[in-house]
Amino acid sequence: MPLPHRTLTVAAPDRATGQPLYSLVAWPPEALDTWLRRTQERLGVRGFGAPHLNLRAPFQTDLTSGELVAAFREALRGIPPFEVPVRGWKRLPNMVFLECMRTPQLSELHARALGVGPSTRAPHDGEGYVPHLTLGLGILPRVEDLIWAEVQRLTPPVTSFRVEVLSLTREERGEVQEVHTFPLGEGTEPLAPLAGEEAGRGGVRGAGGG
């Protein structure tokens, strides 16, 4: 049964200070990225920016872009490539997302990312951090249950994905720009793929993806 037409309004995070919002993100592989975008289009939902996994919530800082790049380069030193297991669908009010497992590697990476500053910090950082890929944000209450019923029947094309590069992004005036990329594993031995329960791009990225 086709879902009713709806207009979504996604409120951008608060930027009262006028400073840009920065994020440290991992991009999903092409197969998962394409699948998420097509699913968003079919269901009529959107997220904030292209599909991505935040290593910390978007933040503001008094550091310049150059200082921020240098600080993250130091914080990420010695971090090898890692696997991100995909757990399954979750929902919050007005939001549906694909939850990923918070592995020890992700927890360490999140803690390192939070150590970069001075910067703002969101309530769902730290112990409340849930790694995820957003499918829909700002979903209207009258269609939330319909969307949720639809996604329950969907199976992502991968059960895990490998992250070898992280990106620092900056959101300003409705565009998400990639500021710098950080290859992982330089001078380190890559981690072995996770087993058992733990198994599992550049330019401008518009603020209408996932």
Side-chain angles (χ1 to χ4, degrees):
M1 175 180 176
L3 295 173
H5 175 75
R6 53 202 166 276
T7 301
L8 303 183
T9 300
V10 180
D14 178 57
R15 285 175 284 143
T17 65
Q19 295 175 320
L21 280 168
Y22 289 95
S23 294
L24 183 68
V25 307
W27 307 111
E30 184 177 356
L32 183 55
D33 176 89
T34 299
W35 183 82
L36 285 168
R37 289 173 186 265
R38 288 177 177 171
T39 301
Q40 288 173 332
E41 183 177 357
R42 185 171 66 83
L43 298 181
V45 297
R46 307 185 89 178
F48 191 80
H52 62 275
L53 186 153
N54 275 329
L55 276 307
R56 61 176 288 185
F59 63 93
Q60 294 173 311
T61 178
D62 290 329
L63 298 176
T64 66
S65 293
E67 291 170 334
L68 202 53
V69 168
F72 271 116
R73 183 181 291 117
E74 182 61 31
L76 298 175
R77 191 181 304 278
I79 292 287
F82 57 93
E83 292 285 324
V84 179
V86 176
R87 300 194 72 165
W89 296 110
K90 297 290 182 181
R91 69 184 292 190
L92 292 174
N94 313 116
M95 179 181 182
V96 174
F97 59 91
L98 198 55
E99 183 181 3
C100 299
M101 185 175 292
R102 183 172 171 172
T103 62
Q105 292 82 16
L106 268 177
S107 290
E108 179 187 355
L109 193 48
H110 178 64
R112 291 200 190 194
L114 282 180
V116 172
S119 59
T120 58
R121 184 164 171 169
H124 44 279
D125 277 328
E127 290 302 313
Y129 173 61
V130 177
H132 65 276
L133 296 158
T134 301
L135 178 74
L137 191 63
I139 300 174
L140 298 178
R142 69 175 181 270
V143 296
E144 281 186 277
D145 289 341
L146 285 171
I147 296 292
W148 181 243
E150 285 287 319
V151 301
Q152 290 295 285
R153 295 195 282 266
L154 302 177
T155 301
V158 300
T159 57
S160 70
F161 59 93
R162 189 167 180 82
V163 175
E164 298 184 348
V165 174
L166 298 177
S167 293
L168 176 66
T169 65
R170 177 178 57 215
E171 187 276 321
E172 219 168 358
R173 294 185 295 276
E175 285 188 341
V176 179
Q177 299 178 323
E178 197 167 53
V179 177
H180 193 81
T181 58
F182 303 93
L184 300 179
E186 294 184 338
T188 64
E189 288 296 321
L191 293 175
L194 299 173
E197 186 178 285
E198 292 188 346
R201 307 174 199 66
V204 175
R205 303 186 183 251

